[in-house]
Amino acid sequence: MIRDAVARAQAESGWAPSGLTLAHPAWWTAAQTQLLVAAAAEAGCPPERLQLLPQPHRMISTAPQFEPSPSAPPIGAPSSSLSPRLALIIAALVVLLGGTAIAGAAVLKSQDSSARSSMAPQYKTIAVGRSQGVGITIADPINHRVYTSDTLDYTVSVVDTVAEKTVATIPLGTDSSLGGMAVDPQNHTLWILSSGTDKSSRSRPLLKVDTLTNKIAGTVNVPANTSDIAVHPRTHEVYISQANGDVVDKASGGTVVATIVDPTTLQTSRIVLPGHGVSLAINPDTGLVYLNGGVSGSVRIIDPNTKTVVGQIDYPAAATQELMVMDPRTNTAYIPSGTGVVVLDLGKGAYVRTIDMGHSVYWMAIDPELGNVYAPDTRGNQLTVLDTATLSIKGTIDMGSSAEGIAADSVSHKVYVRPWDDLSVIDPCTTLQCR
């Protein structure tokens, strides 16, 4: 393939390539890279004229480099720019060489288990801070930003999704971990739940960040056992769930399951109910707030005007995970449950069924415009896509690595997966049909 592409390029331009550069995954062994050396030698490029360029995982860019050779002067005067045909030939060579690199890894699959990753689609990655363990990633589709936590650096990286690069970092303080994030695109506000530095305190700071400056604009203390936060799109109030059921309202003696923060005054109010408050979802069309109780096997429906419960949906108690996403178009909610996803019909106030995903599920993200729920395998590289219209699995995507956080952009329809020290950008529409 290399020989044929080089011959066609030389016939078109009259150039004789003086050397060749082939990129390959940085983790390839010497035995694996010898496949490229041998292939180039058979194509007429000896090792002394070959350059191998290691690339980080999922950042492979296989680009041949052609230079006029002193021993082979151009035939005729070359034009100042490549002809369309020559450009296509060189582009074909890039594709062919990329296929060669992937094929080489496939041949060695039985010799090196790491070769499996080379078969994954190659996604663009964005450099962010250092991370280890569970993090949080959220998207602001309106202002073209993604926010992702750097657990080892105690920061939040701000990613410009148009430029596809990190444009700022928000410090949380030394030894201050992140417990949750929510963004208010209309008010240009990012809410960050920090653990604070005082581990013995029964409260933790909720940081109000101005997303225009990426500076902290205010702080309010909330109960330490906060599990999830969400911003109401109409009132802009911040809803905070209390997971452990150990916060008691002094006035009534009842259990606090959620705290509500006024975005301007930072004053707090409480919702007192039996049980727990684990995860939150808010319907932007109806304005209703849904509070998942986790182990209680129920979702309470809260009226944002009266701050009272107006309904409850019970589901199998096995669904005890902390996350929940909702689709306003179908008015359905989705909660992880072991290897399945619980589906709730919010309009009817009823449990629908649990869909088997074929792998363990924790992280989830939703693109309501496409009707896609993204559920990565917590122990592998597979990203399963659930169709909210048909309640069936639309397909799977190889992420190339495990997920420690995931977000979906409902405008660009790209999915952002946080494995460890980078942010992978996945376009599901290149793999699955997008409606």
Side-chain angles (χ1 to χ4, degrees), residues 57-59 121 123-129 131 133-139 145-150 157 159 161 164 166 363-366 373-385 396-409 412-428:
H57 181 47
R58 301 187 307 281
M59 290 286 286
Y123 303 119
K124 180 179 179 61
T125 59
I126 300 173
V128 289
S131 179
V134 176
I136 297 174
T137 300
I138 62 172
R145 291 289 187 269
V146 163
Y147 301 91
T148 182
S149 60
D150 311 317
S157 289
V159 175
T161 58
E164 293 189 323
T166 299
W363 294 109
M364 286 200 310
I366 186 169
V373 173
Y374 301 100
D377 183 355
T378 57
R379 298 186 179 90
N381 300 345
Q382 179 176 311
L383 176 63
T384 302
V385 184
T396 60
I397 300 173
D398 192 335
M399 299 182 296
S401 64
S402 61
E404 293 294 340
I406 185 171
D409 188 321
S412 69
H413 304 306
K414 292 181 179 179
V415 179
Y416 296 85
V417 177
R418 179 70 186 263
W420 292 98
D421 293 345
D422 55 18
L423 189 67
S424 299
V425 185
I426 298 175
D427 185 350

Side-chain angles (χ1 to χ4, degrees), residues 26 50 70-71 116 190 329 381:
L50 175 67
S71 61
R116 178 179 181 274
L190 174 69
R329 291 194 170 191
N381 300 345

Side-chain angles (χ1 to χ4, degrees), residues 27-350:
W27 42 261
W28 270 24
T29 64
Q32 288 173 299
T33 57
Q34 285 305 307
L35 283 176
L36 300 183
V37 174
E42 288 189 27
C45 181
E48 62 268 18
R49 294 170 55 195
L50 175 67
Q51 179 184 5
L52 296 180
L53 186 63
Q55 293 288 307
H57 181 47
R58 301 187 307 281
M59 290 286 286
I60 301 176
S61 175
T62 309
Q65 294 182 353
F66 293 94
E67 299 176 1
S69 172
S71 61
I75 302 174
S79 62
S80 59
S81 60
L82 298 180
S83 69
R85 182 181 174 192
L86 177 57
L88 288 175
I89 291 175
I90 294 178
L93 178 57
V94 173
V95 173
L96 290 173
L97 294 181
T100 302
I102 295 175
V107 170
L108 290 173
K109 182 176 180 180
S110 61
Q111 302 175 18
D112 187 344
S113 61
S114 65
R116 178 179 181 274
S117 297
S118 70
M119 298 301 293
Q122 304 304 313
Y123 303 119
K124 180 179 179 61
T125 59
I126 300 173
V128 289
R130 299 179 304 151
S131 179
Q132 183 176 10
V134 176
I136 297 174
T137 300
I138 62 172
D140 178 353
I142 296 177
N143 298 300
H144 310 295
R145 291 289 187 269
V146 163
Y147 301 91
T148 182
S149 60
D150 311 317
T151 58
L152 290 180
D153 290 339
Y154 310 111
T155 61
V156 171
S157 289
V158 183
V159 175
D160 185 322
T161 58
V162 176
E164 293 189 323
K165 65 178 182 180
T166 299
V167 293
T169 55
I170 303 170
L172 301 179
T174 304
D175 195 28
S176 179
S177 62
L178 182 146
M181 282 194 296
V183 66
D184 185 346
Q186 288 78 18
N187 276 0
H188 298 285
T189 304
L190 174 69
W191 297 92
I192 301 176
L193 185 66
S194 172
S195 67
T197 56
D198 185 2
K199 305 303 181 183
S200 63
S201 175
R202 294 184 61 83
S203 65
R204 60 194 309 181
L206 176 69
L207 309 178
K208 178 182 179 180
V209 178
D210 184 339
T211 58
L212 297 177
T213 63
N214 294 311
K215 303 295 184 183
I216 296 176
T219 304
V220 58
N221 287 329
V222 296
N225 66 359
T226 296
S227 178
D228 192 20
I229 60 177
V231 177
H232 199 287
R234 296 184 184 178
T235 66
H236 305 286
E237 293 172 311
V238 184
Y239 283 75
I240 306 171
S241 63
Q242 264 68 70
N244 296 336
D246 60 356
V247 179
V248 178
D249 180 67
K250 294 181 179 179
S252 64
T255 302
V256 177
V257 295
T259 299
I260 304 171
V261 178
D262 184 288
T264 304
T265 66
L266 300 183
Q267 296 297 310
T268 63
S269 57
R270 294 175 166 183
I271 296 177
V272 180
L273 294 169
H276 305 265
V278 178
S279 54
L280 290 156
I282 301 175
N283 189 322
D285 297 331
T286 66
L288 294 175
V289 179
Y290 297 90
L291 178 65
N292 174 32
V295 293
S296 64
S298 65
V299 170
R300 262 76 74 87
I301 307 171
I302 299 171
D303 185 326
N305 299 313
T306 62
K307 307 297 190 294
T308 59
V309 174
V310 295
Q312 179 170 312
I313 306 173
D314 295 322
Y315 60 83
T320 58
Q321 299 289 3
E322 297 182 359
L323 301 178
M324 177 172 60
V325 297
M326 73 152 301
D327 179 13
R329 291 194 170 191
T330 59
N331 205 16
T332 50
Y334 304 85
I335 305 172
S337 176
T339 60
V341 172
V342 168
V343 182
L344 303 179
D345 186 325
L346 302 179
K348 296 180 179 179

